[in-house]
Amino acid sequence: QVQLVESGGGLVQAGGSLRLSCAASVSGSIFRTVAMGWYRQAPGKQRELVAVITSGGTTNYVDSVKGRFTISRDNAKRTVYLQMNSLKPEDTAVYYCNTNPISPVWDWGQGTQVTVSS
């Protein structure tokens, strides 16, 4: 099983920024071949896909974060990032990373809590 470790969350005021990181316990030669996604789950809601980056670097975002969030990856470090700017209270959630589509071989990490105060 591949382990994923997310970090970088915290408490921030509306309009602020955070940068999330997710490190994978897999070789770089494998990591560079998979598309990675950032997901989030707010209290009482289902987990949703927020951003995706393909192995070739193509990105895609859910409409609610377009223009505010940027996903990137460093294959040498086996890490995917999520730069979040202009944060809103509705961005409050636990953020996770995983492959896209989700692979049963890659375990969900503990996530990182993002709380945006108004």
Side-chain angles (χ1 to χ4, degrees):
Q1 295 295 108
V2 177
Q3 307 299 316
L4 296 164
V5 179
E6 300 92 349
S7 61
L11 173 63
V12 64
Q13 289 188 333
S17 298
L18 285 172
R19 188 192 193 208
L20 307 184
S21 299
C22 171
S25 66
V26 68
S27 70
S29 60
I30 291 175
F31 183 81
R32 69 179 64 250
T33 68
V34 299
M36 294 296 296
W38 278 98
Y39 303 76
R40 67 184 179 188
Q41 186 167 21
K45 295 187 177 181
Q46 289 189 334
R47 191 173 296 177
E48 68 168 339
L49 177 64
V50 173
V52 175
I53 184 165
T54 68
S55 58
T58 300
T59 58
N60 204 357
Y61 304 89
V62 67
D63 285 347
S64 60
V65 308
K66 281 182 180 177
R68 301 188 297 121
F69 290 10
T70 302
I71 188 172
S72 61
R73 64 191 298 160
D74 185 331
N75 291 329
K77 294 183 178 180
R78 298 156 292 165
T79 299
V80 61
Y81 303 97
L82 187 67
Q83 177 67 44
M84 305 187 297
N85 299 328
S86 302
L87 282 162
K88 304 176 180 180
E90 51 264 43
D91 295 319
T92 295
V94 179
Y95 284 72
Y96 305 85
C97 71
N98 210 314
T99 57
N100 180 255
I102 295 169
S103 167
V105 178
W106 294 56
D107 284 339
W108 289 99
Q110 81 288 350
T112 186
Q113 175 71 49
V114 172
T115 303
V116 184
S117 62
S118 57

